[in-house]
């Protein structure tokens, strides 16, 4: 436990807090460092401090590499990576990020490597995205086997794994990844705040097939964190109508909605109405169609406000990767996992004593499946849940997301999974072969990792937009598309552009309008 205690000490010194004991993380660390072949599922709520486990295990690898040479921490989205990397730099100074568009590292060789699920999957398939152009030109293999080998000698942590299991465009690739890693005996940790019984059985199946020591850990009511959270007065209310009606001036408010258009509309209403009760510089907007530097500046403003009153209006981009605490959380209806992520920003800090969540029950449900949204509302209105105590909501998560692996299996494209597994496991398939197969799949209209997105260049930065948004912007005039020889008149044409980008053709999409410093690409 020496490495664990040292990690706690360094983290407390860097962040300036008095550490609170986390028996669950201590048990997890002990299990992972004593079992010959552990597979751990850590089911703990948002705010629990699960990332401490990554830091502690990376520290241990520096002095004892008998089980694993390093730690690779895999996240579903870039926004969360930035916060973990910043903390790792402050407290430890031995980590690197690896993701598309980043020049931090090539082969996951540092004690702690933080990466996205997309980049990790490409690397496991022996296609190092940083070397794609040179691989395609036939100039090198791009560290293909070396990159894969660095993964196979690591302990791999999948954080916020529910995002990967419940996203139709990610589930197939994630299934293939877990299948291959377990077949190779790689040590695995899965972290999630919302574990359904179906998810548990999905992981147990692979662990059992390849002889792992499988364990699921979740905090009980004797856990110091749970005890502290149970002392807080956190309520959940259900209302209809304009969400701005339920914010409370003088407090820290977060209003989280399901779409960018709805967030921008509510922001415009809030800043134009003096009776809303907030000065304009205390009304903030965050969504996924902002440049990275813009989002960073908004998060900086939010953190400087601290315990002062504010109104943050945002989308799912706020669910993870934006560290703040709210007194009042007003949210559109959504599936249970998304609601719990949003509630996780409510009374987040140890010194916070009260919090109120308001769910708008007649809000638009899209882009979420209506069935899951309605089932969630029906269940959470019938019983009392606490967003930081898993035992109070686990049954709801299972009811909404399924009690058997079939709830996940129906999202899996078996043909695609077979191809991905073959590319990972076949020693005759080098980077150039993998790239060729990936290009054939993309050309046929099959997205490998996520739905087709378009990188929009905005003042030297990149904003990812959907083909639908590309068509809208192009039709309105502020976007120039370079490198395509066809007219962009329909959504099908916009998807052709997205596929051309995915195939690494010489296509550039540039935003020619005036970027809105408040609203981003609205």
């Amino acid at each position: 436990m020496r490495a664990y205690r040292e990690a706690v000490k360094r983290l407390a010194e860097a962040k300036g807090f008095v550490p609170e004991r986390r028996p669950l993380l201590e048990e997890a660390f002990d299990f992972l460092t004593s079992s010959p072949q552990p597979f751990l599922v850590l089911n703990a709520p948002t705010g629990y401090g699960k990332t401490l486990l990554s830091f502690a295990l990376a520290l241990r690898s520096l002095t004892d590499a008998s089980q694993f040479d390093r730690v690779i921490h895999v996240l579903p989205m870039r926004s969360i990576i930035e916060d973990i990397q910043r903390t790792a730099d402050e407290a430890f100074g031995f980590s690197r990020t690896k993701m598309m568009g980043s020049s931090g590292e090539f082969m996951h060789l540092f004690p702690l490597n933080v990466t996205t699920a997309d980049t990790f999957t490409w690397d496991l398939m022996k296609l190092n995205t940083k070397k794609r152009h040179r691989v395609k030109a036939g100039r090198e293999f791009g560290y293909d086997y070396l990159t894969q080998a660095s993964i196979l000698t690591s302990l791999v942590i999948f954080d916020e794994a529910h995002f990967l299991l419940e996203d139709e465009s990610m589930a197939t690739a994630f299934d293939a990844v877990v299948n291959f890693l377990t077949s190779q005996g790689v040590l695995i940790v899965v972290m999630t705040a919302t574990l359904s019984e179906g998810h548990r059985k999905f992981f147990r199946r692979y662990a059992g097939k390849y002889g792992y020591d499988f364990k699921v850990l979740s905090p009980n009511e004797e856990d110091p964190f749970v005890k502290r959270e149970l002392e807080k007065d956190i309520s959940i209310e259900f209302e209809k109508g304009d969400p701005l009606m339920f914010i409370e001036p003088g407090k820290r408010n977060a209003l989280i909605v399901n779409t960018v258009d709805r967030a921008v509309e509510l922001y415009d209403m809030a800043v134009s109405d003096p009776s809303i009760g907030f000065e304009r510089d205390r009304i903030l907007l965050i969504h996924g169609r902002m440049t990275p530097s813009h989002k960073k500046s908004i998060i900086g403003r939010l953190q400087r406000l601290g315990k002062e009153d504010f109104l943050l209006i945002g989308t799912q981009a706020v669910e993870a990767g934006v560290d703040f605490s709210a007194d009042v959380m007003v949210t559109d209806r959504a599936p249970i996992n998304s609601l719990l992520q949003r509630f996780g920003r409510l009374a987040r800090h140890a010194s916070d004593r009260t919090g109120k969540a308001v769910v708008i029950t007649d809000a638009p449900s899209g882009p979420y499946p209506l069935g899951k949204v309605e089932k969630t509302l029906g269940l959470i209105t019938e019983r009392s849940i606490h967003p930081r105590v898993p035992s109070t909501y686990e049954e709801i998560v299972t009811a909404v997301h399924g009690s058997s692996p079939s709830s996940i299996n129906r999202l899996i494209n078996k043909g695609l999974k077979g191809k991905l597994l073959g590319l990972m496991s076949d020693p005759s398939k080098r980077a150039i072969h993998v790239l060729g197969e990936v290009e054939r799949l993309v050309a046929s209209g099959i997205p490998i990792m996520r739905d087709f997105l378009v990188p929009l260049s905005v003042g030297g930065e990149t904003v990812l937009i959907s083909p639908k948004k590309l068509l809208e912007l192009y039709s309105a005039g502020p976007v120039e598309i370079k490198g395509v020889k066809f007219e962009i008149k329909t959504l099908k044409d916009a998807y052709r552009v997205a596929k051309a980008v995915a195939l690494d053709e010489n296509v550039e999409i540039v935003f020619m309008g005036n970027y809105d410093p408040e609203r981003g690409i609205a």
Side-chain angles (χ1 to χ4, degrees):
M1 294 294 290
R2 184 185 307 167
Y4 180 87
R5 290 191 289 271
E6 178 65 18
V8 172
K9 178 175 175 288
R10 291 198 198 183
L11 197 59
E13 289 173 350
K15 291 295 188 179
F17 66 87
V18 177
E20 182 181 68
R21 190 160 172 255
R22 292 285 185 270
L24 193 72
L25 298 184
E26 293 174 13
E27 184 178 355
F29 183 86
D30 181 63
F31 171 67
L32 291 166
T33 55
S34 60
S35 172
Q37 193 174 358
F39 190 128
L40 173 67
V41 176
L42 185 60
N43 182 32
T46 56
Y48 190 86
K50 297 186 288 291
T51 311
L52 170 62
L53 188 62
S54 290
F55 300 145
L57 292 167
L59 267 180
R60 183 182 185 274
S61 73
L62 288 170
T63 57
D64 184 352
S66 59
Q67 287 179 287
F68 50 90
D69 290 345
R70 64 196 67 81
V71 174
I72 302 178
H73 193 118
V74 183
L75 288 150
M77 58 191 75
R78 298 171 67 108
S79 58
I80 319 175
I81 285 182
E82 294 163 1
D83 184 58
I84 291 179
Q85 177 60 26
R86 186 164 49 248
T87 299
D89 280 344
E90 292 172 1
F92 305 96
F94 57 31
S95 70
R96 286 293 187 276
T97 59
K98 187 174 191 293
M99 52 188 175
M100 295 178 194
S102 162
S103 58
E105 202 265 325
F106 277 114
M107 291 187 293
H108 307 292
L109 294 180
F110 283 75
L112 177 63
N113 306 270
V114 190
T115 188
T116 61
D118 307 63
T119 296
F120 180 81
T121 304
W122 292 125
D123 286 343
L124 201 57
M125 289 197 295
K126 299 166 289 191
L127 181 59
N128 193 314
T129 55
K130 292 175 180 294
K131 294 289 186 176
R132 178 171 177 165
H133 293 289
R134 295 183 65 81
V135 168
K136 189 169 185 177
R139 296 177 182 173
E140 59 178 272
F141 289 112
Y143 306 120
D144 51 2
Y145 287 121
L146 295 175
T147 304
Q148 188 188 70
S150 71
I151 295 174
L152 298 181
T153 54
S154 301
L155 181 147
V156 178
I157 296 177
F158 293 106
D159 200 350
E160 306 289 0
H162 53 279
F163 281 104
L164 305 175
L165 287 168
E166 293 154 15
D167 185 323
E168 188 169 355
S169 61
M170 290 292 295
T172 297
F174 186 55
D175 188 12
V177 164
V178 175
N179 192 336
F180 181 63
L181 291 178
T182 49
S183 74
Q184 301 300 307
V186 175
L187 308 190
I188 296 176
V189 178
V190 172
M191 295 179 176
T192 177
T194 53
L195 182 73
S196 74
E197 185 61 26
H199 297 157
R200 187 190 311 251
K201 290 177 179 176
F202 169 84
F203 293 119
R204 186 186 295 276
R205 180 184 64 194
Y206 281 121
K209 181 177 180 180
Y210 293 106
Y212 281 81
D213 185 3
F214 183 75
K215 194 167 194 173
V216 178
L217 291 177
S218 187
N220 59 36
E221 293 192 5
E222 295 304 310
D223 187 288
F225 175 87
V226 173
K227 282 185 173 181
R228 185 191 79 192
E229 294 303 309
L230 284 171
E231 290 175 356
K232 295 180 180 180
D233 181 14
I234 296 180
S235 63
I236 302 175
E237 300 177 3
F238 303 91
E239 302 285 354
K240 294 181 178 180
D242 179 1
L244 289 171
M245 292 171 54
F246 306 104
I247 64 170
E248 299 184 17
K251 295 184 178 181
R252 299 169 298 175
N253 291 257
L255 200 173
I256 312 301
V257 297
N258 294 342
T259 65
V260 173
D261 290 346
R262 182 163 161 82
V264 173
E265 179 184 3
L266 288 167
Y267 175 79
D268 287 339
M269 292 169 62
V271 297
S272 63
D273 184 359
S275 68
I276 205 74
F278 291 90
E279 296 179 13
R280 182 164 182 146
D281 64 352
R282 290 176 183 265
I283 304 175
L284 304 95
L285 175 68
I286 294 182
H287 59 72
R289 294 206 298 258
M290 291 176 162
T291 63
S293 63
H294 186 181
K295 281 189 282 191
K296 186 176 181 179
S297 70
I298 298 297
I299 293 170
R301 283 174 56 196
L302 182 64
Q303 292 174 338
R304 285 192 295 273
L305 286 171
K307 286 189 170 295
E308 298 179 37
D309 65 312
F310 59 76
L311 171 57
L312 171 66
I313 300 173
T315 62
Q316 296 91 326
V318 176
E319 288 182 20
V322 181
D323 187 9
F324 71 97
S325 181
D327 304 309
V328 178
M329 168 68 67
V330 182
T331 170
D332 279 355
R333 59 180 180 159
I336 183 66
N337 57 312
S338 292
L339 288 182
L340 288 168
Q341 288 291 321
R342 298 174 191 188
F343 295 163
R345 269 62 197 163
L346 188 65
R348 184 177 178 85
H349 299 150
S351 58
D352 297 327
R353 307 312 305 164
T354 62
K356 182 171 79 172
V358 179
V359 180
I360 306 301
T361 60
D362 60 347
S365 62
Y368 300 110
L370 179 60
K372 287 189 174 184
V373 173
E374 290 183 336
K375 196 164 194 175
T376 295
L377 283 183
L379 291 168
I380 64 173
T381 54
E382 293 173 354
R383 64 192 76 183
S384 176
I385 69 168
H386 192 297
R388 307 253 170 70
V389 184
S391 61
T392 68
Y393 58 72
E394 284 176 336
E395 289 184 4
I396 298 176
V397 173
T398 291
V400 172
H401 293 294
S403 59
S404 76
S406 62
S407 61
I408 300 166
N409 293 339
R410 61 184 175 78
L411 301 177
I412 306 299
N413 179 330
K414 292 182 180 179
L416 176 58
K417 177 189 171 182
K419 288 182 183 294
L420 298 182
L421 268 174
L423 294 173
M424 293 173 194
S425 59
D426 188 343
S428 70
K429 300 294 186 185
R430 300 211 63 175
I432 187 65
H433 307 117
V434 174
L435 181 58
E437 182 61 30
V438 166
E439 288 182 340
R440 282 190 289 275
L441 288 167
V442 171
S444 68
I446 300 175
I448 308 298
M449 236 65 73
R450 299 182 192 268
D451 289 334
F452 290 116
L453 293 174
V454 179
L456 181 65
S457 178
V458 183
E461 297 186 83
T462 299
V463 176
L464 293 175
I465 61 173
S466 67
K468 181 179 179 182
K469 189 64 183 180
L470 172 65
L471 178 63
E472 177 189 323
L473 292 172
Y474 183 79
S475 299
V479 165
E480 180 181 355
I481 303 175
K482 304 175 182 178
V484 298
K485 298 179 180 179
F486 52 86
E487 287 292 318
I488 314 299
K489 295 181 178 180
T490 66
L491 185 58
K492 184 177 180 180
D493 297 327
Y495 269 98
R496 288 178 66 190
V497 174
K499 284 167 58 177
V501 171
L503 287 167
D504 205 28
E505 295 178 9
N506 190 23
V507 177
E508 185 179 10
I509 303 98
V510 182
F511 185 72
M512 306 300 291
N514 294 319
Y515 181 81
D516 192 321
E518 286 185 77
R519 297 165 186 80
I521 306 292

